[in-house]
Amino acid sequence: MKSPVFQLFLSQHQQAKELFLELGKELKSSKSIALLDHLEFLELYSELLEKIYFEDKHLGYSLFFPLKTLKKSLKKIYHLKLVEKRLKLREQDTSLTFESFRTSLNEQKREMQKEAFDLMVGSSLKVWEDYLEKAHQASKSLKPLVIHTSIHQLVQEELESLGKEAKIPLSTQYLRDFFEGVRKVILLENLLLHLGLNSIFVTEIHGELERLKNELKLWYGLQLTLQSLTHFIAQKEEVPSKYLEWVQELKEEKKRLNSSLEKQALIVLRKVVG
């Protein structure tokens, strides 16, 4: 009998494989990001199996390892998309154009897309078939209680790790990790609800985690833009004032967001970790 959680894996795996085949013919950013979403679920599912079969410490890593490089490549495209979004908003808000920066981003995008495309073209469908078979074998007859307990452990480990690493003021790296951690916790909680199992947190906490995730996503896009723009400017001998002004505004916005996120993160951590 197929476990309900494996049925969800199967659906995600099939959608990911279809996108993989499509992107192997023509690579588009929107479909690349959709594939990234599916890969992140599959990686988390592999981690869940490793938690269930705790005696096999490297099960999750070995299951997802053949797709890890592709995921990393697609993540770069996603990051660039966030920077492009901020650039578009900046041009709309100021009625200015940032052509040289846009050209630089387009060049980076072509390189990233070529890298991802080459990985897909050079990969075999056997990778997907082997992954499916191994996951299927590991998922046979999984009981709801085992799934619930393992998800609970993963959530607690993630939150306790974030709690231990929290040092005031919160660093840029910590906020990045916190963003990924909150996304992971929400995904695991949604998995419980999808399976009809009891959630770990009450509705109020769910709402706070979701709001915090959205705030962190704004911060994440800002940080990536500031990083990309700063690198771009550093390569120029003469920098137009509109670029310098934008960098300064990004720094000020980041400072305000950092302060707000620090308060929110600590409040949520106190509630969920204790």
Side-chain angles (χ1 to χ4, degrees):
M1 185 180 86
K2 288 183 181 177
S3 162
V5 73
F6 179 71
Q7 294 283 13
L8 187 55
F9 170 89
L10 185 59
S11 172
Q12 292 276 344
H13 182 279
Q14 287 175 339
Q15 291 175 70
K17 183 178 170 184
E18 287 170 9
L19 283 166
F20 173 83
L21 291 171
E22 288 180 36
L23 290 166
K25 298 172 185 174
E26 182 183 8
L27 202 142
K28 294 181 179 179
S29 291
S30 58
K31 289 188 176 181
S32 297
I33 294 168
L35 176 55
L36 174 62
D37 287 340
H38 291 303
L39 288 177
E40 287 182 335
F41 175 88
L42 297 180
E43 183 176 35
L44 188 57
Y45 185 84
S46 302
E47 192 177 340
L48 175 61
L49 288 177
E50 185 173 304
K51 179 59 61 179
I52 292 169
Y53 298 100
F54 56 89
E55 69 280 1
D56 188 348
K57 294 182 180 179
H58 304 292
L59 174 64
Y61 179 82
S62 62
L63 276 174
F64 191 75
F65 178 75
L67 295 170
K68 206 166 187 67
T69 304
L70 176 59
K71 183 201 159 192
K72 187 177 179 180
S73 182
L74 296 175
K75 192 96 171 180
K76 293 179 189 175
I77 295 173
Y78 169 63
H79 286 171
L80 190 68
K81 194 76 175 174
L82 291 177
V83 177
E84 286 179 329
K85 186 177 180 180
R86 294 285 307 203
L87 172 57
K88 185 178 179 181
L89 287 172
R90 181 66 178 178
E91 289 181 331
Q92 289 174 348
D93 291 344
T94 63
S95 298
L96 298 171
T97 57
F98 296 80
E99 283 305 321
S100 54
F101 184 47
R102 184 177 293 282
T103 299
S104 174
L105 292 180
N106 286 336
E107 289 171 356
Q108 292 175 55
K109 184 195 289 186
R110 282 194 291 272
E111 290 175 8
M112 291 173 187
Q113 288 181 332
K114 183 181 184 305
E115 177 188 277
F117 184 76
D118 288 347
L119 281 170
M120 283 183 267
V121 171
S123 179
S124 166
L125 276 178
K126 190 173 185 301
V127 167
W128 292 88
E129 292 160 3
D130 288 348
Y131 183 26
L132 179 62
E133 178 57 29
K134 289 174 183 176
H136 182 213
Q137 289 300 321
S139 303
K140 282 184 175 178
S141 303
L142 285 181
K143 299 292 189 289
L145 180 59
V146 172
I147 295 167
H148 187 275
T149 301
S150 300
I151 288 177
H152 195 285
Q153 288 173 343
L154 281 176
V155 167
Q156 288 305 117
E157 285 172 11
E158 188 68 36
L159 292 172
E160 285 172 9
S161 174
L162 290 173
K164 287 176 185 176
E165 295 297 320
K167 303 281 191 302
I168 305 302
L170 300 182
S171 67
T172 294
Q173 184 58 52
Y174 179 83
L175 284 171
R176 279 175 179 258
D177 293 342
F178 198 86
F179 176 51
E180 296 297 339
V182 169
R183 289 177 69 239
K184 179 177 176 179
V185 167
I186 290 172
L187 189 56
L188 285 166
E189 274 280 74
N190 288 340
L191 178 55
L192 281 175
L193 294 171
H194 180 87
L195 295 171
L197 301 172
N198 293 332
S199 63
I200 298 169
F201 304 115
V202 297
T203 305
E204 179 191 350
I205 298 295
H206 272 279
E208 289 188 40
L209 286 169
E210 194 67 40
R211 284 191 294 275
L212 184 54
K213 183 195 78 171
N214 292 334
E215 286 279 324
L216 284 162
K217 186 175 180 180
L218 283 175
W219 175 90
Y220 196 48
L222 186 155
Q223 169 59 25
L224 289 168
T225 304
L226 180 57
Q227 183 179 304
S228 181
L229 191 59
T230 302
H231 177 72
F232 170 77
I233 287 174
Q235 296 175 313
K236 301 293 179 184
E237 291 184 8
E238 293 185 16
V239 183
S241 60
K242 62 184 177 182
Y243 284 98
L244 297 175
E245 289 169 5
W246 189 15
V247 166
Q248 187 57 37
E249 287 183 32
L250 285 170
K251 286 180 178 178
E252 290 170 1
E253 187 181 351
K254 181 186 174 185
K255 188 176 180 180
R256 289 194 300 271
L257 261 181
N258 274 21
S259 178
S260 172
L261 285 169
E262 191 170 280
K263 292 173 186 174
Q264 292 180 64
L266 293 174
I267 289 171
V268 169
L269 280 174
R270 277 197 294 270
K271 289 182 178 179
V272 297
V273 178

